[in-house]
Amino acid sequence: MNNRIRKAVIPVAGLGTRFLPATKAIPKEMLTIVDRPVVQHVVDEARAAGIEHFVFITGRNKGVIEDHFDSAFELEATLERRGKVKELEALRADLPLAGATSFTRQQGPLGLGHAVWCARDIIGDDEPFALLLPDMLHHSHGKGCLADMIDAFKKHGGNHIAVAPVPEDQTHQYGIVGVEDVKAKVSKITKMVEKPAKGTAPSNLHITGRYILQPTIFNLLANQEAGAGGEIQLTDSMIALSRLEPFYACRFDGDIYDTGSKIGFLLANIAYGLSRSDLEPELRREIERLLES
Ligand code: UTP
């Protein structure tokens, strides 16, 4: 078994029904947070953690994501001719190495578990991999969520899930884990439950959308029956996997934005804008003016 996390799976085949009509013709992963598409922010996080290969699970109407991660010949030639060196360098710095991306189609939005299963041949059966849900932006004030998880993985092995606290009265809306030590940065998971009934959650730590999984998950997903919402649920297969292998919760201390929801998207734009030194002074002034008016 190869124990280096080299590959990341990024599922982008969902329909984005919470964000209509914006997502009718534009994939929600291509909506921008400041001047970068949501999915680019997630690739940035994965690259910073040392990921070398990106496996995108796509679907119909998502072709523009593939174009985004390719070079744009006419654009680059024009920038070069016009001497726009800074813009050109920025574009090239974002470009993944040739051969470092794979795109495979899910063929139908059958659920996150099914989307992950579609990566089985590209990941193979002898290396653990990262999984990042692109609509969940993890705004870190440190190394990055996935980078922290890979550090924890190097120490403990097994499977890892990023978690963060939510208010007790909201646990029924999330995947929740129970852990040995609620306060620890990394702690063994003792229970996993998808959307627990009110008052039954084992803790207030919710699954935030970053995972390191062993390839054993693929066999479990292959036999996984449809669960909540008639979809093949990743959590159901992770629960089965947790009977065979250890799972650890890795607490994320930064801010998380669900950009698949309208409020999360708006907040992410404000927060990421305020953290940019070229935009912060004017943006802050304008927000204050709006709030006063
Ligand atoms: P979501 O449930 O947030 O995405 O899935 P969605 O289905 O697009 O959103 P709504 O609820 O209809 O607005 C989390 C991630 O998993 C991907 C989505 O693209 C998203 O990035 N996903 C989900 C798939 O790739 N395939 C699926 O069948 C479901």
Side-chain angles (χ1 to χ4, degrees), residues 66-133:
E66 198 164 339
D67 292 341
H68 178 76
F69 290 106
D70 194 2
S71 70
F73 174 75
E74 301 85 345
L75 177 63
E76 289 176 32
T78 306
L79 290 175
E80 196 149 26
R81 212 174 44 247
R82 293 184 185 164
K84 298 210 162 199
V85 180
K86 220 172 93 204
E87 289 80 355
L88 189 59
E89 279 175 358
L91 277 188
R92 289 187 174 150
D94 283 342
L95 194 65
L97 278 180
T101 50
S102 299
F103 295 83
T104 187
R105 285 200 178 197
Q106 190 185 2
Q107 299 179 347
L110 301 181
L112 176 61
H114 181 261
V116 173
W117 178 71
C118 292
R120 67 200 179 280
D121 288 342
I122 303 172
I123 299 293
D125 57 10
D126 71 344
E127 59 180 300
F129 62 98
L131 167 65
L132 300 98
L133 304 195

Side-chain angles (χ1 to χ4, degrees), residues 5 7 44-45 50 52 136 152 175 181 184 195 205 233 252 269:
I5 311 293
K7 296 178 186 166
D44 293 345
E45 177 191 336
E52 295 164 8
M136 301 303 286
D181 179 355
K195 302 196 176 68
L205 295 175
Q233 297 287 348
F252 178 65
N269 264 299

